[in-house]
Amino acid sequence: MTTTECSFCHYIYDEWFGDCRNGVPAGVAIGALAGTVCSRCGLQGVRHEPRANAPYAGLEAELYDQFAGKAGIVFARDWIMGTAAGFSEPPSVLELGTGTGRIAVELAQHGIRVCGVDRSPDMLKLAETKRQRVLKDRADTLELVEQDMLELELAETFTHVLCPEGIIQHVTRMSEHRTVLGNIRKHLVPQGLLAVELLLPPVQASWKTVQRKVLPKDKIVYKHVEGETSLRRQIYRLTATYETFVQGLEQPRYRVERELALMTPKELVLLLESEGFEVVGLVENEGSGKPWSTVLPSGLDRVVSDLKPDETLETLEAEGRLGSTTLPYTPEAWRAGSFPVGTDAEMNVHAAAASFTILAKKR
């Protein structure tokens, strides 16, 4: 993270904005600051620690489903059910960043046992309400756990792990990515499968978007997002502002800032391969182009999403089955859009955001 806080005097420094009061221009890293910036502790030693993104809360959690819609649900369900036959046990799913249970509840409705993990109490409260209402007599098929993915410790392993909507990008340091992947690997059965959704911002250095939702009781919500990308920091930053009107009267605004790791599909593939996974496929969810020909280790540019646990791209190619995917993403699965800066139709910039899902298995 580019925002740090002193553990001694709680002085907060944001690299994106600098510190105009002390004459520090925007973009100056914390390590380059003189000790006189903080008069109480002088920035001594390693007291300044990165601040994590805040958990989803308040209006952001309450309106999450409205803006995420049903994006990705069909793909996750079909991918899990389509690969379940490759295991000797019934499918079991660990979903990191389960949020409101948007995907987890759908899986549980189809008899798939799911453990949804999230660090937001507000999101899990909404998921619990949904679990009791939708699943009713089958509520035991969905377990909800409040944990940080950096400290993940569960008493069981799973056949599948889902990392939807760029959850792995909510940590921004390489050491944190390795920790998360290590925790995932520990909770997968042998040859277990992993799906990681990767979010790429528009190619511009900065962008703005707006989404609008009309809700019951004459309630209208606008979600304004301003973002900027830093190639030097390998991070992009989002500021989401929620404006709510009830019968034409404006309600208090809600504003939240987040930083996400900037990572290409190829970089994620290399990271997965280095952490004990074998990448077996890539699906493009958003964007206008085909998957990049340089992404997968084999150099092949076909979309492959029907792999069994014991199959690789090379075996499909040798058998002449490459490209015969049975589980492609469909426009319907992404109609509402889940990317935090909006879909093509909602963006006021020319270059659209993109979303990819990398499929891998535990070696």
Side-chain angles (χ1 to χ4, degrees), residues 27-38:
V28 177
I30 184 70
L33 293 178
T36 54
V37 172
C38 180

Side-chain angles (χ1 to χ4, degrees), residues 34-264:
T36 54
V37 172
C38 180
S39 59
R40 290 191 61 188
C41 71
L43 299 183
Q44 299 171 11
V46 291
R47 289 174 175 165
H48 272 260
E49 301 174 352
R51 301 185 79 198
N53 285 318
Y56 281 68
L59 199 61
E60 186 181 28
E62 178 185 334
L63 296 173
Y64 183 81
D65 282 358
Q66 294 293 332
F67 289 99
K70 297 184 178 181
I73 293 178
V74 173
F75 172 78
R77 182 196 67 201
D78 290 353
W79 172 67
I80 292 165
M81 296 181 70
T83 55
F87 298 95
S88 59
E89 58 188 279
S92 55
V93 178
L94 168 62
E95 184 187 18
L96 298 182
T98 194
T100 62
R102 204 173 52 87
I103 297 176
V105 169
E106 171 73 15
L107 299 178
Q109 281 185 292
H110 285 78
I112 301 171
R113 185 169 60 86
V114 184
C115 177
V117 174
D118 205 290
R119 68 188 184 99
S120 167
D122 285 9
M123 296 285 266
L124 289 175
K125 183 178 180 179
L126 293 169
E128 175 61 24
T129 300
K130 193 181 300 183
R131 182 175 80 104
Q132 295 295 336
R133 184 184 73 250
V134 177
L135 297 178
K136 296 181 180 178
D137 296 337
R138 294 188 296 173
D140 58 346
T141 57
L142 173 58
E143 179 186 7
L144 298 171
V145 178
E146 184 181 341
Q147 274 194 37
D148 192 312
M149 61 183 177
L150 287 169
E151 302 171 353
L152 187 65
E153 191 63 50
L154 303 173
E156 59 181 318
T157 55
F158 304 85
T159 61
H160 297 75
V161 173
L162 285 174
C163 295
E165 301 182 68
I167 185 63
I168 198 172
Q169 294 168 265
H170 283 250
V171 294
T172 57
R173 291 179 289 181
M174 181 64 73
S175 60
E176 293 173 326
H177 294 142
R178 293 187 182 280
T179 297
V180 171
L181 291 178
N183 289 340
I184 290 173
R185 194 174 188 279
K186 182 173 64 176
H187 288 86
L188 271 173
V189 301
Q191 302 294 303
L193 299 177
L194 167 65
V196 182
E197 186 178 356
L198 188 67
L199 308 178
L200 276 70
V203 296
Q204 285 90 346
S206 61
W207 64 91
K208 295 181 180 181
T209 70
V210 60
Q211 292 175 279
R212 176 178 179 268
K213 296 294 179 180
V214 180
L215 307 179
K217 299 182 180 179
D218 294 328
K219 184 176 182 179
I220 301 176
V221 180
Y222 293 87
K223 180 182 178 182
H224 299 268
V225 177
E226 297 183 22
E228 52 187 319
T229 302
S230 173
L231 292 176
R232 178 175 65 83
R233 304 182 188 97
Q234 291 293 283
I235 287 175
Y236 65 98
R237 176 177 167 274
L238 303 170
T239 300
T241 303
Y242 294 83
E243 294 181 339
T244 305
F245 297 83
V246 178
Q247 295 181 347
L249 297 177
E250 185 174 7
Q251 309 301 304
R253 295 186 181 187
Y254 189 89
R255 187 181 181 93
V256 64
E257 295 183 354
R258 300 198 178 280
E259 288 184 347
L260 282 78
L262 180 63
M263 187 185 302
T264 66

